[in-house]
Amino acid sequence: MKGSPRKSRRDDIRIAGDFSHRVTSVFSGQESRRDGIEPPDKPSLWDSIPSSPHSRPVPNTTPVVKTTPVVKTTGYSYAVPSGLILLILLATNVFAQSTATKLNVLNRIAAIPTRNDFAIIAAKIRIGVDTADAYRHLDTMLSRAYGDMFWMYGCAGLFYATQDVLRPDYKTKIRHACNHNTPYRGDTENHFLMYYGSLLLMSQAWPDLVDTEWFMGKSSREIYAESKEYLDHWIDETARFGTTEWSSPRYGYYYITCLAIMAEYTQDARLKHRFEMMLEYMLADYAADYLNGSYCGAHSRVGDDAVLDPRKAEINSYGQYFFEDSVTHLLPDLSFAAMTSFTCPKIIRQIATDRSQPYEQFSLKRGRQMIRYMDKWSASQNNLLSPSGERLGEGLDSTFHAPVYKYEYMTKDYCLGSMQGGIVQPIQQQSWSLVFNSDRSHNIITGLHPYVSAEELGMFFPEYPSFMLERIEQVKKGYTSEDKWYGGSPYERIYQDKNVLVALYDLPDSVKYHHVDVFIPWSAHPLDSTRSLDSNMQYEPDWRIFRFDSVRIGVYPLSSFRTMKEQYGLRIRMTNAHSGYIMYCESIGKSDTKSFITKLVHCNPIVDSSRVYSKSDNGATLNVSLRQKPKASWLFHSPFLESKKGSGVLTMRYKGEKRVLDFNR
């Protein structure tokens, strides 16, 4: 890590230079912008770690021109009157991470038994624990003749995080492995970020190597230029038009790790600054959907465990680290973040943890790029056409990405969130969820049509579709199961208005599975407990009512259904070709149990061509439009986050304070 010798947190706040694009901020309702290039003068963590005198980074010698008074806190400059500096020194904590948390995380990861994991090995070498064993495992990892992008970012992270204490012979081994082994680049957005980010850092480490010294036959300068070009393109495209692997509980973990590594060790000041902003962008996006350790709403790619138990998601490690400043879900890559000087701005932490007032958030993402069957991602254009044929939104963009219209209704007790349906990501999509603010496991309700098709695979992957379908279980176990709990369907349409969600399904005869499922966790206590759970009995449409901690839930299947007991909860299965369900949720403080049950069982839900409504009270309980027009011109629109599509500017707000990420400067 590069920077000046470690100072106290109070010493981190000091007068900084007046640069051509100063980053300015004013407290109590005024603005902070990330649109300038600042000197890389972040403090080092290593004075807090006992080690030899040789294990400290070389101090940064960038001169500081003391002109206009600016308060600087770990990479941000705040223009304030000089008389306020002392007050700010005493009262302001702009960032969320503590040194104690970083050291705690690093020591705990270093204490993990050594295995072939760059992050664990780096932690051990960094603080001098079990180094002999760590170097033995590093030998194993560097001896491979073939790797992939996951190998690359871990190797690059280890090299830079330990470069001042790493034995010289291992620097040579890393150089040889990186220069001569041919890694797999991958085919997804997170793969490309790992691949080109690693190449950028490693070509930066050895800038004068000629083309014969690299596995792809290009010189260091050519590799660096190509990597920089891709990464700049990815940042610009994401900041203007949205992510493609959006809101991923699994792969968001890798985005954050890679961005933290690149933001710390990239030497080019402009690019370093952009990586820092992009890391904040990803954390802000995550924070707005965060509820006490759970990632809420719809997801592009969710893992096997997290789909029914949100706290098991890989990204939750970073949620706890950046937002809670206390980590129980410890995963090894956190060591890379803990070995950087990056700290999460306090405003992002506040966005993640303040649920005192309910709010709605609209956001626009992009589906994965399609390469075949562009007309098959949604049988109804995913709410882009209403049932009566009215056009409601945009279709595929010029590069064949489907629009993803996300919506969340967040409260202190729960978050109900969804996207419009259809297939925008293969295999691992989760189209909606109701997540509870609870310390219990399996604090989620979700549902789907288990769609399985060679066309889905062929839509996104280049291999021959039927060949992929035959072999998919070898790489994505469970995809072909009729009982799976994640995956999109072209026959699914989802509508939501705050605490009410409607999902409609029209299944053709040609589809493999002709049922729709809803998951109810065992922790959801049935309030209509006199009703049986006989898996052999077919029930007619009626409300099933539950309570999960401080939330009451009503589930109304729109066709006949049966219930099935499973390991983690109850499966409600509807088998009609034209089916669906209504999800209604409410905090217990809104009414008593009797009133809640009475309201639902007497509301008489009706589905017509334009809306789903409660007939008995003329829409007072249920009134969800089937002609909802998405906020297609906004990447983010909520009380906390705002970004107009195409602007490249994200504005964060919290109680009068504002922080702006401007990717145009």
Side-chain angles (χ1 to χ4, degrees):
M1 187 180 304
K2 297 186 177 181
S4 57
R6 180 63 186 168
K7 304 178 287 292
S8 70
R9 288 194 61 81
R10 184 168 297 177
D11 288 337
D12 291 346
I13 305 175
R14 61 182 179 83
I15 302 299
D18 184 12
F19 293 86
S20 58
H21 299 289
R22 185 186 300 121
V23 179
T24 62
S25 174
V26 183
F27 295 92
S28 301
Q30 301 185 46
E31 179 176 312
S32 77
R33 294 186 69 88
R34 291 304 316 268
D35 57 4
I37 299 175
E38 302 174 74
D41 59 350
K42 292 185 177 180
S44 169
L45 179 67
W46 306 122
D47 278 358
S48 304
I49 301 176
S51 59
S52 72
H54 304 291
S55 64
R56 186 171 300 162
V58 177
N60 174 37
T61 57
T62 303
V64 176
V65 181
K66 297 185 178 181
T67 54
T68 306
V70 179
V71 173
K72 184 171 181 64
T73 307
T74 320
Y76 289 75
S77 299
Y78 298 87
V80 298
S82 58
L84 293 180
I85 291 177
L86 180 60
L87 176 64
I88 293 169
L89 289 174
L90 297 175
T92 303
N93 178 14
V94 181
F95 296 90
Q97 259 53 70
S98 67
T99 301
T101 297
K102 292 189 174 189
L103 295 177
N104 175 270
V105 164
L106 193 59
N107 279 287
R108 288 166 61 197
I109 293 172
I112 297 173
T114 312
R115 61 175 186 258
N116 290 341
D117 186 306
F118 281 121
I120 296 173
I121 295 170
K124 291 178 181 292
I125 293 174
R126 177 71 264 169
I127 65 174
V129 174
D130 298 330
T131 55
D133 199 24
Y135 278 117
R136 281 195 294 271
H137 281 80
L138 184 56
D139 268 325
T140 300
M141 298 197 72
L142 297 177
S143 65
R144 300 173 177 174
Y146 179 83
D148 59 16
M149 75 302 297
F150 292 95
W151 183 96
M152 293 175 73
Y153 87 81
C155 186
L158 178 144
F159 177 82
Y160 275 94
T162 66
Q163 59 184 313
D164 56 320
V165 293
L166 189 65
R167 284 168 40 184
D169 54 325
Y170 280 87
K171 293 182 181 180
T172 302
K173 290 180 180 182
I174 288 174
R175 171 174 165 172
H176 183 273
C178 290
N179 296 162
H180 297 285
N181 296 344
T182 302
Y184 172 57
R185 185 182 67 171
D187 57 7
T188 66
E189 189 178 71
N190 78 84
H191 290 169
F192 282 22
L193 179 63
M194 297 179 204
Y195 182 84
Y196 286 111
S198 301
L199 284 179
L200 182 95
L201 291 176
M202 302 320 279
S203 59
Q204 171 186 277
W206 308 295
D208 299 321
L209 296 184
V210 298
D211 54 5
T212 56
E213 291 295 312
W214 284 95
F215 64 88
M216 74 281 281
K218 296 181 179 180
S219 69
S220 293
R221 285 179 171 78
E222 289 174 308
I223 294 169
Y224 186 90
E226 179 180 324
S227 301
K228 181 179 181 295
E229 180 182 14
Y230 171 77
L231 294 166
D232 265 330
H233 164 76
W234 173 72
I235 290 172
D236 288 336
E237 195 170 61
T238 299
R240 286 164 175 75
F241 304 110
T243 54
T244 62
E245 288 183 299
W246 42 272
S247 307
S248 175
R250 174 162 173 73
Y251 291 98
Y253 173 84
Y254 298 106
Y255 281 87
I256 292 171
T257 302
C258 292
L259 285 167
I261 292 171
M262 292 188 291
E264 184 69 19
Y265 305 115
T266 300
Q267 294 172 1
D268 179 271
R270 174 187 169 276
L271 198 55
K272 179 185 188 73
H273 181 73
R274 301 196 91 206
F275 292 149
E276 291 172 345
M277 288 198 296
M278 202 64 211
L279 180 53
E280 287 192 23
Y281 184 101
M282 292 289 179
L283 289 174
D285 189 359
Y286 178 26
D289 294 341
Y290 185 83
L291 183 62
N292 188 23
S294 296
Y295 202 169
C296 304
H299 305 295
S300 63
R301 303 186 70 185
V302 66
D304 295 340
D305 293 333
V307 68
L308 297 183
D309 198 352
R311 282 194 183 82
K312 290 185 177 179
E314 289 85 346
I315 199 173
N316 189 32
S317 291
Y318 281 120
Q320 293 179 344
Y321 176 73
F322 286 120
F323 306 152
E324 309 289 349
D325 210 21
S326 176
V327 181
T328 58
H329 186 51
L330 187 71
L331 293 181
D333 277 5
L334 262 68
S335 69
F336 289 131
M339 288 187 285
T340 72
S341 55
F342 178 82
T343 54
C344 181
K346 188 176 181 180
I347 191 172
I348 298 179
R349 180 176 183 167
Q350 291 168 324
I351 290 170
T353 56
D354 187 349
R355 298 295 174 256
S356 58
Q357 297 296 322
Y359 64 90
E360 298 173 85
Q361 173 161 285
F362 302 83
S363 59
L364 174 63
K365 314 296 185 185
R366 294 178 299 151
R368 180 165 171 159
Q369 189 174 43
M370 299 179 188
I371 59 177
R372 302 187 188 94
Y373 312 130
M374 279 73 163
D375 60 335
K376 301 294 179 79
W377 66 283
S378 172
S380 61
Q381 290 291 302
N382 289 297
N383 293 4
L384 302 179
L385 294 178
S386 71
S388 62
E390 178 188 3
R391 188 143 190 95
L392 301 177
E394 301 175 356
L396 301 181
D397 65 17
S398 60
T399 53
F400 305 110
H401 296 274
V404 181
Y405 301 112
K406 283 192 65 190
Y407 172 79
E408 290 90 28
Y409 181 63
M410 179 74 75
T411 76
K412 65 180 178 61
D413 297 316
Y414 66 87
C415 178
L416 181 63
S418 60
M419 48 81 71
Q420 74 269 22
I423 299 176
V424 298
Q425 274 280 349
I427 304 172
Q428 295 171 296
Q429 177 179 314
Q430 186 173 34
S431 298
W432 72 271
S433 68
L434 170 59
V435 175
F436 305 103
N437 185 354
S438 172
D439 293 330
R440 301 171 187 255
S441 61
H442 306 97
N443 57 319
I444 189 172
I445 291 176
T446 189
L448 81 169
H449 164 235
Y451 181 68
V452 175
S453 170
E455 286 185 346
E456 176 184 1
L457 303 177
M459 191 182 299
F460 300 101
F461 299 109
E463 293 82 4
Y464 197 70
S466 61
F467 174 82
M468 287 189 285
L469 186 60
E470 291 174 0
R471 297 174 178 265
I472 188 64
E473 285 292 330
Q474 298 176 20
V475 291
K476 295 294 181 184
K477 187 174 177 61
Y479 169 74
T480 60
S481 171
E482 66 175 325
D483 296 326
K484 64 182 180 177
W485 280 119
Y486 53 66
S489 171
Y491 308 109
E492 174 182 65
R493 291 175 289 140
I494 299 174
Y495 309 86
Q496 185 184 341
D497 182 14
K498 293 187 177 179
N499 63 323
V500 183
L501 179 142
V502 176
L504 303 177
Y505 302 84
D506 296 294
L507 307 179
D509 293 339
S510 59
V511 76
K512 183 172 183 178
Y513 298 127
H514 291 83
H515 62 262
V516 173
D517 290 341
V518 173
F519 171 79
I520 308 291
W522 287 128
S523 298
H525 175 68
L527 297 179
D528 49 353
S529 57
T530 59
R531 305 192 179 194
S532 65
L533 294 177
D534 187 348
S535 60
N536 296 316
M537 183 176 293
Q538 195 84 355
Y539 300 94
E540 291 306 306
D542 200 358
W543 285 100
R544 289 294 171 119
I545 301 174
F546 305 87
R547 173 176 171 172
F548 195 113
D549 289 0
S550 56
V551 183
R552 296 190 188 99
I553 313 103
V555 183
Y556 189 91
L558 292 170
S559 66
S560 59
F561 66 96
R562 60 192 179 100
T563 57
M564 306 160 64
K565 295 180 179 179
E566 298 197 343
Q567 181 178 2
Y568 301 117
L570 180 70
R571 184 187 295 264
I572 298 177
R573 174 164 290 180
M574 294 144 272
T575 55
N576 289 24
H578 303 287
S579 188
Y581 42 85
I582 301 170
M583 190 69 50
Y584 185 97
C585 50
E586 189 177 273
S587 297
I588 60 174
K590 297 287 186 180
S591 64
D592 57 52
T593 300
K594 182 178 179 180
S595 299
F596 182 82
I597 294 175
T598 301
K599 173 174 63 176
L600 291 186
V601 298
H602 292 106
C603 75
N604 190 15
I606 299 295
V607 180
D608 66 20
S609 61
S610 63
R611 63 174 179 152
V612 176
Y613 67 100
S614 49
K615 183 177 181 180
S616 62
D617 58 12
N618 195 30
T621 302
L622 303 174
N623 192 11
V624 179
S625 173
L626 303 184
R627 297 179 179 176
Q628 298 172 352
K629 291 188 177 182
K631 294 185 182 296
S633 62
W634 290 92
L635 286 191
F636 294 97
H637 191 275
S638 77
F640 294 136
L641 303 178
E642 280 191 2
S643 179
K644 291 285 286 187
K645 180 181 177 181
S647 69
V649 178
L650 173 65
T651 301
M652 303 177 237
R653 290 187 174 88
Y654 181 80
K655 291 187 176 180
E657 293 190 22
K658 182 165 70 171
R659 188 178 187 85
V660 178
L661 304 182
D662 189 341
F663 291 88
N664 300 303
R665 302 297 182 94

